[in-house]
Amino acid sequence: VTTTISPKQQALAAIAELIGDAGIVALDDGERYLVDHRSLYRGRPALIVRPASTAEVADVVKLCNGAGLKVVPQGGNTGYCGGATPDTGGDAVLLSLERLRGVREVDPVGYTMTVEAGVVLAEVQRHAEAADMLFPLSLGSEGSCQIGGNLATNAGGTAVLRFGNARELVLGLEVVLADGTVWNGLRALRKDNAGYDLKQLFLGAEGTLGIITAAVLKLFPKPRARETALVAVADVDAACRLLALARRESADAVTSFEYLPRFALDLVCRHIEGAVDPFTERHRHYALIELSTAASAARLDEQLRSLLEQGLEAGWVIDAAVAQSEAQRGRLWRLRESVPEAQRAEGGSFKHDVSVPPARLAEFLTRGLAAVAAAAPEARACVYGHIGDGNLHFNFLAPPGQALKDFFASHGERVSDAVLGLAAGLGGSVCAEHGVGQLKRPLLTRYLDPVSLRLMRQMKAALDPNDTLNPGKVVPPPVP
Amino acid sequence: VTTTISPKQQALAAIAELIGDAGIVALDDGERYLVDHRSLYRGRPALIVRPASTAEVADVVKLCNGAGLKVVPQGGNTGYCGGATPDTGGDAVLLSLERLRGVREVDPVGYTMTVEAGVVLAEVQRHAEAADMLFPLSLGSEGSCQIGGNLATNAGGTAVLRFGNARELVLGLEVVLADGTVWNGLRALRKDNAGYDLKQLFLGAEGTLGIITAAVLKLFPKPRARETALVAVADVDAACRLLALARRESADAVTSFEYLPRFALDLVCRHIEGAVDPFTERHRHYALIELSTAASAARLDEQLRSLLEQGLEAGWVIDAAVAQSEAQRGRLWRLRESVPEAQRAEGGSFKHDVSVPPARLAEFLTRGLAAVAAAAPEARACVYGHIGDGNLHFNFLAPPGQALKDFFASHGERVSDAVLGLAAGLGGSVCAEHGVGQLKRPLLTRYLDPVSLRLMRQMKAALDPNDTLNPGKVVPPPVP
């Protein structure tokens, strides 16, 4: 009697052998790898591996690619779109980058840092700060998300207005390609036109074209002064005008400009311990504004005062609460940062992560709310976010007493059609900062133009002809 | 008797018919299209066409791609590497974008401008300024280079330190693909993760993957204050330390940080009318520093003074000439900007456009000069440039009385090997800001790693399988 071992089984055995016990997670112990952050998906991989080096990542990918196995890379598993969760087919290797935790170099002359993919974002920030510099990427999940995942998803966050998305914070990458080849693009150069800028292929591609194992990051001078204010504004249009003025008045020191409606502030004050509305009067719209600078001789306080005075005169600003201490600053930021948690406490939200050109924001909000009010009059709008980037989280809660799932099972499609169709019609994006993953792949088929889809498929076919890397993510399948 | 008309001839006739007389340049009148800026190449195309719209560009490309003709796009024809000059095979259509001159939109709320490829860079700058904003890309040829060419070559210039290369100044593109399809990626979004960031494919690809016909550009608040100084520094290492300090002291308001050696200043003072060394003593090294800000309440003068005082104390700064008026500022900048002209007046220079990580600059300069002194002791070094980006123009002049061509015919290879080999060895680039074109394609074969070359060829094959677009440029042919 001969037992036949398939090529896939052989490859899995070779991987287990190669990586060793410390790098293998038993599927039964793998809950935190198998289920995504929002509990939308549960993957069923053949194996969970945690390689300890770039060379080990390369070996795993090579073995998988040769045997017809798939590879699903995973960072901190904090994504919103199931981009790091394998399907249930059982022929994927879930590859966690969490053991690649080296900080290879911090360069205070060149303002760069070279880190491995598994370093947690907050850790990157701390290393920069320890060297009197700033790594400006900042998001809610920074305590657990990993820099490799941030780069693979081109993460946004609250400082995009001044410093750009994750893509713009990278000078070089090291990447494991679909056949297991290591591409060493770890250059720390501000100017390099020696051929195509290959790192761009992998930034934001969510592991479908290559697996990022290390990166050279751009650093900036550490801010020495900061001014933070919660400003009651007349409406979203007023907020946008105030932003344009703020950029001008402050030498582009506006690092954050976030929008909150009354409803979101109420939710936060209701559900988050210690959260208090800093105004005595109730207003309808708020902007959280932060200016910061590394200059020693700056006059940020004067700039903010002048900005608010001009805003008052123009009728854009109604009232303002300016933080007088780091503690007060923390409390203002908490009002903004607690919105997701407050939504969860209220029963969860039906989310849309959309962006439009800033000049269309007011129109987008007005028309979007009207369209949803027509499609689902009882839905409660909680629209907030990074107004400075034209990026609103266009979320809706179920009516009080109704379960989110039930309500949006019947109303969700019409609501989404209204919001996403309008965003696309205004020249916007239906996936602004949270990426595509598996959740939003159908949106691309619907809202992206055929030429873009064709280009994406051409790139995928060219760089990963066997569809080894993160299959079923980002790139929509050809229409049959 | 039947006359056979080949498919190529048919396509050429169809293009001539389609574009009309106003869009065709007779080869005999085409000198300025046929010869590159440095007179290194003379192309022999089948036709010179000047389409008047994106649709016409698309039609031309479609006809060429179908008939086996090549398309060589050309902007202002100011490139240094022959990237816009066809070969002498006679089966290329030279496609000038100069009639695509529309400024489609200026958006003061979103800080963006949508322009067509043929708009001259200085014109883009003027449109931004007229709307009280800044388009920061700035280069010597800005009066004649076109924005499409700037984006296709990912141009650098003197403001990269603060604002990035051309690539980083783009939000969206419109591109004609190799088969004549128009890709409309003209989005004005700060956050858009709906699939791969396709515009990155075309930025810096020098027209080999698609022809840029229009772009959405990022604008910035217009500077209101500026401080400019020519600083005599102890050496290049001191200059680098001063730069790191300047970034910290000035809230990253350092927009330019340029290096000049004594030799370059002498050349300029000798050949350029009105150029005067502002110092009474002769120094060996100079940095031209400019701080600028859009802030109304900034204290740039204080910041500069503090910077120079600290630099003096540290021994990095020896003396400084601070511009007290716009006229003085112009004179200081002229010393830097006239170096290329002064080199030409002295008989021309043998050029290398290289970059290294800023922390390696001093080492690069010392070792590079020593290596060249060993290889060609009589060569006169004129090394200057964008020290803030790690980008030096590592140029050499022939000994007095000897012709550039003659001298470097015998010494050039050893000099280049020394400079480029050292740059590559220090983690640098052999094509920093001037691109690759046809001139530097052999350098990529020699200095780029095989994985990068493979990725470039895969992209070219995927997006332009017939090698229709700008053949013979950028992508090295496979090794036989």
Side-chain angles (χ1 to χ4, degrees):
Chain A
V1 179
T2 47
T3 314
T4 320
I5 302 176
S6 74
K8 287 185 184 177
Q9 286 170 312
Q10 283 179 33
L12 290 169
I15 290 168
E17 171 77 21
L18 177 85
I19 300 298
D21 286 349
I24 303 290
V25 180
L27 293 185
D28 288 346
D29 301 335
E31 191 72 7
R32 73 184 181 91
Y33 303 93
L34 300 175
V35 177
D36 74 296
H37 185 65
R38 291 171 68 191
S39 299
L40 300 174
Y41 303 98
R42 170 181 294 274
R44 197 172 67 81
L47 198 64
I48 304 173
V49 294
R50 302 160 62 243
S53 67
T54 300
E56 285 190 4
V57 174
D59 288 339
V60 171
V61 173
K62 189 176 180 181
L63 284 162
C64 289
N65 186 56
L69 289 164
K70 308 303 181 185
V71 181
V72 177
Q74 187 174 95
N77 197 19
T78 59
Y80 275 22
C81 302
T85 314
D87 66 14
T88 54
D91 68 348
V93 169
L94 195 165
L95 189 157
S96 167
L97 280 303
E98 67 191 351
R99 286 171 78 202
L100 272 67
R101 308 199 76 135
V103 175
R104 296 191 193 165
E105 193 188 5
V106 178
D107 175 356
V109 175
Y111 279 81
T112 61
M113 186 192 310
T114 307
V115 296
E116 296 181 352
V119 180
V120 167
L121 175 55
E123 198 64 28
V124 176
Q125 296 166 345
R126 274 194 291 273
H127 277 278
E129 204 175 332
D132 204 26
M133 294 183 283
L134 169 76
F135 182 64
L137 188 68
S138 173
L139 2 141
S141 60
E142 61 197 27
S144 51
C145 64
Q146 294 167 14
I147 189 68
N150 298 144
L151 303 185
T153 56
N154 186 29
T158 51
V160 170
L161 184 60
R162 168 67 181 83
F163 296 101
N165 294 290
R167 175 187 302 275
E168 294 170 75
L169 303 174
V170 178
L171 290 176
L173 288 182
E174 177 188 86
V175 175
V176 172
L177 305 177
D179 67 354
T181 304
V182 178
W183 174 64
N184 183 346
L186 280 181
R187 300 189 182 197
L189 303 174
R190 305 273 159 177
K191 281 186 179 166
D192 179 15
N193 278 331
Y196 300 154
D197 188 358
L198 298 169
K199 66 176 179 288
Q200 304 294 345
L201 293 170
F202 309 105
L203 294 163
E206 302 189 26
T208 60
L209 299 177
I211 300 176
I212 296 170
T213 51
V216 182
L217 305 174
K218 283 188 201 170
L219 302 179
F220 295 83
K222 188 160 86 178
R224 298 201 205 181
R226 228 187 227 137
E227 290 288 333
T228 310
L230 188 70
V231 181
V233 289
D235 53 29
V236 169
D237 185 53
C240 291
R241 287 165 192 274
L242 187 66
L243 168 62
L245 180 68
R247 291 192 63 180
R248 200 160 285 134
E249 282 294 308
S250 76
D252 235 354
V254 191
T255 30
S256 297
F257 202 101
E258 302 278 315
Y259 170 71
L260 276 184
R262 172 83 248 157
F263 181 77
L265 190 59
D266 280 344
L267 269 195
V268 168
C269 292
R270 185 180 314 150
H271 292 291
I272 306 299
E273 208 186 306
V276 179
D277 182 346
F279 300 102
T280 45
E281 306 231 355
R282 286 170 63 82
H283 303 286
R284 290 179 59 208
H285 306 277
Y286 301 89
L288 181 66
I289 306 177
E290 187 158 285
L291 312 182
S292 71
T293 175
S296 48
R299 297 290 185 277
L300 275 194
D301 49 348
E302 286 175 23
Q303 288 172 18
L304 181 63
R305 194 182 319 126
S306 155
L307 172 69
L308 294 175
E309 281 168 9
Q310 291 180 65
L312 268 167
E313 258 171 55
W316 305 332
V317 170
I318 298 168
D319 201 353
V322 179
Q324 303 297 330
S325 67
E326 194 55 31
Q328 283 185 11
R329 174 180 175 264
R331 282 198 287 276
L332 292 183
W333 265 107
R334 192 135 180 259
L335 297 175
R336 161 65 185 87
E337 283 174 340
S338 302
V339 178
E341 192 185 333
Q343 288 180 141
R344 276 193 295 275
E346 185 77 7
S349 69
F350 184 68
K351 299 179 197 294
H352 306 86
D353 172 37
V354 287
S355 65
V356 295
R360 316 300 293 268
L361 263 173
E363 177 186 0
F364 178 50
L365 191 67
T366 309
R367 289 178 57 190
L369 291 177
V372 173
E378 295 173 290
R380 294 181 294 163
C382 186
V383 178
Y384 67 98
H386 318 295
I387 207 173
D389 318 315
N391 175 203
L392 287 176
H393 298 307
F394 223 101
N395 298 350
F396 295 90
L397 280 67
Q402 291 192 45
L404 185 77
K405 266 197 178 165
D406 298 340
F407 183 79
F408 287 101
S410 48
H411 295 83
E413 201 176 319
R414 270 178 296 159
V415 170
S416 285
D417 286 356
V419 173
L420 301 177
L422 182 61
L426 292 171
S429 172
V430 297
C431 302
E433 69 169 357
H434 294 156
V436 179
Q438 49 188 304
L439 179 65
K440 298 192 178 168
R441 207 165 63 129
L443 296 187
L444 299 199
T445 309
R446 179 148 180 201
Y447 291 105
L448 235 54
D449 61 288
V451 182
S452 294
L453 292 173
R454 186 187 97 187
L455 284 167
M456 287 175 61
R457 291 185 192 118
Q458 284 173 335
M459 290 170 65
K460 177 71 175 172
L463 295 181
D464 182 17
N466 299 336
D467 200 21
T468 298
L469 296 177
N470 216 3
K473 314 291 166 57
V474 187
V475 189
V479 181
Chain B
V1 180
T2 47
T3 314
T4 319
I5 302 176
S6 75
K8 288 185 185 179
Q9 286 169 311
Q10 282 178 32
L12 291 169
I15 290 169
E17 170 77 22
L18 176 84
I19 300 298
D21 286 349
I24 304 290
V25 179
L27 293 184
D28 288 346
D29 301 335
E31 191 72 7
R32 72 183 181 91
Y33 304 92
L34 299 176
V35 178
D36 74 296
H37 184 65
R38 292 171 68 190
S39 299
L40 300 173
Y41 302 98
R42 170 181 294 274
R44 197 172 65 84
L47 197 66
I48 304 173
V49 294
R50 302 159 63 243
S53 66
T54 300
E56 286 190 4
V57 174
D59 287 339
V60 171
V61 173
K62 189 175 179 182
L63 284 162
C64 289
N65 187 54
L69 289 164
K70 309 302 182 185
V71 182
V72 177
Q74 187 175 96
N77 197 19
T78 60
Y80 274 23
C81 303
T85 313
D87 66 15
T88 55
D91 68 347
V93 169
L94 196 165
L95 189 157
S96 167
L97 280 303
E98 67 191 350
R99 286 172 78 204
L100 273 67
R101 306 200 78 135
V103 176
R104 296 192 193 165
E105 192 187 4
V106 178
D107 174 356
V109 175
Y111 280 81
T112 61
M113 186 191 310
T114 307
V115 295
E116 296 181 352
V119 180
V120 168
L121 175 54
E123 198 64 28
V124 176
Q125 296 167 345
R126 273 194 291 273
H127 277 278
E129 205 175 329
D132 205 26
M133 294 183 284
L134 169 76
F135 183 64
L137 188 68
S138 174
L139 2 140
S141 61
E142 62 197 26
S144 51
C145 63
Q146 294 168 14
I147 188 69
N150 297 145
L151 303 185
T153 56
N154 186 30
T158 51
V160 170
L161 184 60
R162 168 65 181 85
F163 296 101
N165 294 289
R167 176 187 301 277
E168 295 169 73
L169 302 175
V170 178
L171 291 176
L173 288 182
E174 177 189 85
V175 176
V176 172
L177 305 177
D179 66 354
T181 304
V182 178
W183 174 64
N184 183 347
L186 280 181
R187 300 190 181 195
L189 302 174
R190 304 273 160 178
K191 280 186 179 168
D192 180 15
N193 277 331
Y196 301 154
D197 189 358
L198 298 169
K199 66 177 179 288
Q200 304 293 346
L201 293 170
F202 309 105
L203 294 163
E206 303 188 26
T208 61
L209 300 177
I211 299 175
I212 296 170
T213 51
V216 182
L217 305 174
K218 283 188 200 169
L219 303 179
F220 295 83
K222 188 160 86 178
R224 299 201 206 182
R226 227 188 227 137
E227 290 288 333
T228 309
L230 187 71
V231 181
V233 290
D235 53 28
V236 169
D237 185 53
C240 291
R241 287 164 193 275
L242 187 66
L243 168 61
L245 180 68
R247 291 192 63 180
R248 199 160 284 134
E249 282 294 308
S250 76
D252 234 356
V254 192
T255 29
S256 298
F257 201 103
E258 302 278 315
Y259 170 72
L260 277 184
R262 173 83 247 155
F263 180 76
L265 190 59
D266 280 344
L267 269 196
V268 169
C269 293
R270 185 179 316 149
H271 292 291
I272 307 298
E273 206 186 306
V276 179
D277 181 346
F279 300 102
T280 44
E281 307 232 353
R282 287 171 62 82
H283 303 287
R284 290 180 58 211
H285 306 276
Y286 301 89
L288 181 66
I289 306 177
E290 187 158 285
L291 312 182
S292 71
T293 175
S296 47
R299 298 290 184 279
L300 275 194
D301 49 347
E302 287 176 22
Q303 289 172 17
L304 181 63
R305 194 181 319 125
S306 154
L307 172 69
L308 294 175
E309 282 167 8
Q310 291 180 65
L312 269 167
E313 259 172 53
W316 305 333
V317 169
I318 298 167
D319 201 352
V322 179
Q324 303 297 331
S325 67
E326 194 55 29
Q328 284 185 9
R329 174 180 175 262
R331 282 198 287 275
L332 293 183
W333 265 108
R334 190 133 182 261
L335 296 175
R336 161 64 185 87
E337 284 174 341
S338 302
V339 178
E341 192 185 334
Q343 288 179 141
R344 276 193 296 274
E346 186 77 8
S349 69
F350 185 67
K351 298 178 195 299
H352 306 86
D353 172 37
V354 288
S355 65
V356 295
R360 316 299 294 268
L361 264 174
E363 178 186 359
F364 178 51
L365 190 67
T366 309
R367 290 177 56 191
L369 290 177
V372 173
E378 294 174 289
R380 295 181 293 163
C382 186
V383 177
Y384 67 98
H386 319 294
I387 205 172
D389 318 315
N391 175 203
L392 287 176
H393 298 307
F394 223 101
N395 298 350
F396 295 90
L397 281 68
Q402 291 191 45
L404 184 78
K405 269 199 176 163
D406 299 341
F407 184 77
F408 287 101
S410 48
H411 296 83
E413 200 176 319
R414 269 178 297 159
V415 169
S416 285
D417 286 356
V419 173
L420 301 177
L422 182 62
L426 292 171
S429 173
V430 297
C431 302
E433 69 169 359
H434 294 156
V436 179
Q438 49 188 304
L439 179 65
K440 298 190 178 169
R441 207 164 63 130
L443 296 187
L444 299 198
T445 310
R446 179 149 180 201
Y447 292 104
L448 234 55
D449 60 289
V451 182
S452 294
L453 293 173
R454 187 187 96 187
L455 284 166
M456 287 176 61
R457 291 184 192 120
Q458 285 173 336
M459 290 170 65
K460 177 71 175 170
L463 295 180
D464 181 17
N466 300 337
D467 200 21
T468 298
L469 297 176
N470 216 3
K473 313 291 166 57
V474 187
V475 189
V479 182

